[in-house]
Amino acid sequence: MAFVGAQHEFHNTRFVRDWADRFVPSPERIQLFDTIIDSIANHAQASTHVVELGIGPAYLAERVLEKLPNVTYEGIDFSEPMLEIAAERLASYASRVTFTQADLVAEEWGAKVTHPVGAIVSTWALHDLGGEVNTTKVYRDCRNLLMPGGVLLNGDFVKPDDTSHDYEPGRFLVSRHLDMLQEVGFEDAQCLIYLEKEIDNPTAAQNYVCLQAVG
Ligand SMILES: C[S@@+](CC[C@H](N)C(=O)[O-])C[C@H]1O[C@@H](n2cnc3c(N)ncnc32)[C@H](O)[C@@H]1O
């Protein structure tokens, strides 16, 4: 049985720079970003504060800041080299951006966020937390941090329903994500889009969705 997953060294500068160069956004990933941006625009005030979990090289952040010119943005990541790249990419938006170095699993990162939060976003990051227990912890943190009516948008890798392959523990079924979001108190959880679906011969960079949960 094939295994679907990836090994990362997010505290290694060379690995991180190479990762950022390899994963310049594809048209499908830009579609994911725009799904997230449309949802923020539909659920939050134009001047809301957006928090991104695992900002990485800030490809999503750059597009959000361009398309939603009145939001402020806070990028969280535990990787110093990723935060350096993110700061370089977002230099022209510096007055609207802050960065917070924190481990989403080991820390109560929500206590470091200063503004009321209208939207929490993330792409290709929460599967790296290691599995359902840690993802549930972060979903609960998000539920506690969001203002009433605020929105969580998680664009991440999942395990497809009909697979015969083995997936790393951080990648699980869409239905399980939706159950977990409801378990931590989100009232309205749904999957907005499924991108690069590949059942028979998947790579680690296929099968990702946009999950939306309203607090
Ligand atoms: C695969 S990269 C995705 C980066 C970016 N979101 C994107 O889509 O291009 C995952 C990111 O999550 C961060 N990350 C992984 N585990 C983390 C944790 N426990 N706490 C904070 N950040 C974490 C990594 O440092 C990395 O920047």
Side-chain angles (χ1 to χ4, degrees):
M1 197 187 329
F3 177 78
V4 182
Q7 295 285 330
H8 298 302
E9 294 174 45
F10 288 130
H11 299 287
N12 175 317
T13 300
R14 184 177 294 183
F15 176 91
V16 163
R17 296 246 163 214
D18 180 60
W19 193 95
D21 290 344
R22 272 193 296 140
F23 289 104
V24 171
S26 62
E28 293 85 357
R29 221 149 129 242
I30 290 171
Q31 198 181 344
L32 173 64
F33 295 169
D34 287 346
T35 301
I36 290 172
I37 290 166
D38 287 347
S39 178
I40 299 171
N42 285 337
H43 288 93
Q45 297 205 341
S47 60
T48 199
H49 189 57
V50 179
V51 170
E52 180 172 357
L53 310 180
I55 186 172
Y59 294 123
L60 168 65
E62 185 176 38
R63 197 160 176 95
V64 172
L65 287 157
E66 180 200 340
K67 300 271 183 194
L68 301 177
N70 295 313
V71 304
T72 53
Y73 206 92
E74 182 160 358
I76 300 182
D77 208 294
F78 69 175
S79 162
E80 197 151 343
M82 279 295 194
L83 289 170
E84 278 169 17
I85 296 178
E88 287 164 18
R89 185 171 320 287
L90 302 182
S92 60
Y93 297 104
S95 63
R96 294 163 56 203
V97 176
T98 50
F99 297 101
T100 299
Q101 187 170 16
D103 186 321
L104 295 166
V105 175
E107 290 180 60
E108 295 310 319
W109 52 271
K112 296 186 171 185
V113 175
T114 46
H115 302 64
V117 179
I120 301 177
V121 302
S122 187
T123 63
W124 286 14
L126 301 190
H127 70 283
D128 284 324
L129 303 183
E132 291 189 15
V133 170
N134 291 343
T135 303
T136 301
K137 182 261 182 205
V138 171
Y139 279 166
R140 183 170 289 110
D141 292 342
C142 292
R143 179 69 188 83
N144 292 338
L145 189 62
L146 277 171
M147 291 191 292
V151 65
L152 167 64
L153 294 147
N154 180 21
D156 203 10
F157 297 113
V158 294
K159 178 176 173 175
D161 284 332
D162 305 319
T163 184
S164 58
H165 297 304
D166 203 9
Y167 277 67
E168 65 179 333
R171 302 179 191 224
F172 38 87
L173 301 177
V174 168
S175 57
R176 185 69 194 116
H177 276 282
L178 298 179
D179 285 348
M180 287 158 54
L181 287 162
Q182 280 169 356
E183 279 162 28
V184 303
F186 285 103
E187 281 168 17
D188 177 15
Q190 56 181 294
C191 178
L192 299 180
I193 193 168
Y194 195 129
L195 290 157
E196 298 199 63
K197 189 167 199 167
E198 173 57 51
I199 306 293
D200 297 329
N201 195 21
T203 69
Q206 292 174 312
N207 292 302
Y208 50 103
V209 299
C210 185
L211 301 160
Q212 172 188 276
V214 180

